[in-house]
Amino acid sequence: MKTLQAFSWIFLLGCAASLGACDAEQPLPQCTVGRGEHAVRYTLVSGIGSCAAKRAEKLGAQIFRTPGSGEPPSLVFKPGPFAANEGKDPAHPVLSTGNFTTEYPSKDEVCEVPTLSEARQFVAQATGTPVDVRYQWSNVRVQGSSAIPGTQWIADLTYSEDDCTATYVAVGLFPALKCERTEVRNGQNVVVRDPAICSLPRPSLSIDPAFPTLCDEGTNLCVLDGEPPALLPQP
C-alpha cells in the first residue's frame, strides 16, 4: 500500500526565494508534486468547438509512494470540473493516475510520467442531457530541482466533450490562487481583479515570489508566465 508523501512548502519558499542558499551540488529531492490544487494554463494545439475553449482551471494533484522501497511514486490528477461531480457518475473514474519513471529527477532536474489513465465523467447539464467529458494526460514533466520541487510542470492533454476533441499544452503551477480581493462599495462587498495578489506573501500557502505569474482574465487564476522551469532574474 502506498502512503502519501507530504509536501513541504516552507522549504520551497525559503529555497527558491533565495537561490544562493540552495547549493547546486546537494542531492536532488525525490520526485514529488505539490499536494493540493494547481492552477493549469492551457494553450490550444488543435481542435474546434466547445472542447477547444479551455483557458485555465484548477486541478487537484498529489503523489503516493512506498517509503523505503526505492520505487518511483505514482501521480494522481483530479480535474477541477470533476470535483463537483464526484459520486454522481460512479461507473467512470474521477482520477487520472500514472507512475513516474524514476524515484529521483533526471540530470536535467525533471521527473517524467509518460502517461496517465483516462479520467472520465458524464456531467449533467442544465438542458438535462449529460456530457461525456474525458481527460487524457501524457508527457507530464514535473520540475524536480531544489528551487522548484514539484511546483511547476508541463504536459500534453487530449480533452473531449462527447464527439468534440481538442489537444492542449498544459502548464501547471502550485498552489492555485485567485488574483482577486474584496472591496466594500456602497455598503456591498465587491470582488475586484488584482494581478498583484499573485506575488504577495500569504499567511498560509503562497506562490513562490521567484516564479513569474499572470492573472488569467477568464478565470482570475494566478498562472505561470512561461514554461517550466521559470524563475525571475535574481538581483
Side-chain angles (χ1 to χ4, degrees):
M1 175 70 69
K2 290 188 176 183
T3 56
L4 186 63
Q5 172 81 1
F7 178 80
S8 176
W9 178 249
I10 295 176
F11 170 77
L12 163 73
L13 192 57
C15 184
S18 180
L19 296 181
C22 299
D23 186 354
E25 298 301 321
Q26 67 182 345
L28 293 173
Q30 290 175 299
C31 289
T32 189
V33 71
R35 181 189 177 190
E37 290 186 321
H38 294 232
V40 185
R41 172 175 55 82
Y42 296 107
T43 300
L44 181 67
V45 176
S46 66
I48 58 174
S50 61
C51 62
K54 296 179 79 65
R55 287 280 305 273
E57 66 185 7
K58 292 182 180 180
L59 173 83
Q62 63 183 42
I63 67 160
F64 292 90
R65 71 168 76 249
T66 303
S69 69
E71 296 179 358
S74 57
L75 174 66
V76 179
F77 279 170
K78 179 191 287 186
F82 285 0
N85 208 60
E86 195 162 8
K88 297 180 180 179
D89 180 17
H92 298 100
V94 173
L95 304 176
S96 293
T97 61
N99 293 324
F100 284 92
T101 56
T102 57
E103 184 183 11
Y104 288 89
S106 62
K107 291 182 179 180
D108 57 357
E109 303 182 338
V110 173
C111 297
E112 298 185 6
V113 182
T115 186
L116 282 77
S117 61
E118 182 183 73
R120 181 181 184 182
Q121 290 283 284
F122 280 82
V123 180
Q125 304 295 302
T127 59
T129 303
V131 174
D132 182 8
V133 180
R134 288 166 286 166
Y135 285 76
Q136 182 65 68
W137 301 92
S138 61
N139 299 322
V140 182
R141 283 95 69 200
V142 182
Q143 292 299 303
S145 68
S146 299
I148 316 175
T151 51
Q152 295 182 15
W153 53 269
I154 188 169
D156 298 326
L157 171 66
T158 299
Y159 175 76
S160 301
E161 295 179 356
D162 290 333
D163 295 331
C164 177
T165 298
T167 60
Y168 294 89
V169 172
V171 172
L173 171 68
F174 178 82
L177 299 178
K178 287 275 193 173
C179 35
E180 298 175 339
R181 57 184 172 81
T182 302
E183 292 183 352
V184 178
R185 297 179 181 176
N186 299 322
Q188 301 292 324
N189 289 334
V190 178
V191 176
V192 179
R193 184 172 179 271
D194 186 354
I197 291 176
C198 297
S199 57
L200 293 177
R202 297 165 62 96
S204 53
L205 288 182
S206 296
I207 296 172
D208 195 298
F211 293 177
T213 56
L214 294 172
C215 180
D216 179 69
E217 293 184 3
T219 62
N220 283 353
L221 277 173
C222 298
V223 295
L224 191 67
D225 183 7
E227 294 188 355
L231 291 170
L232 293 170
Q234 297 300 301

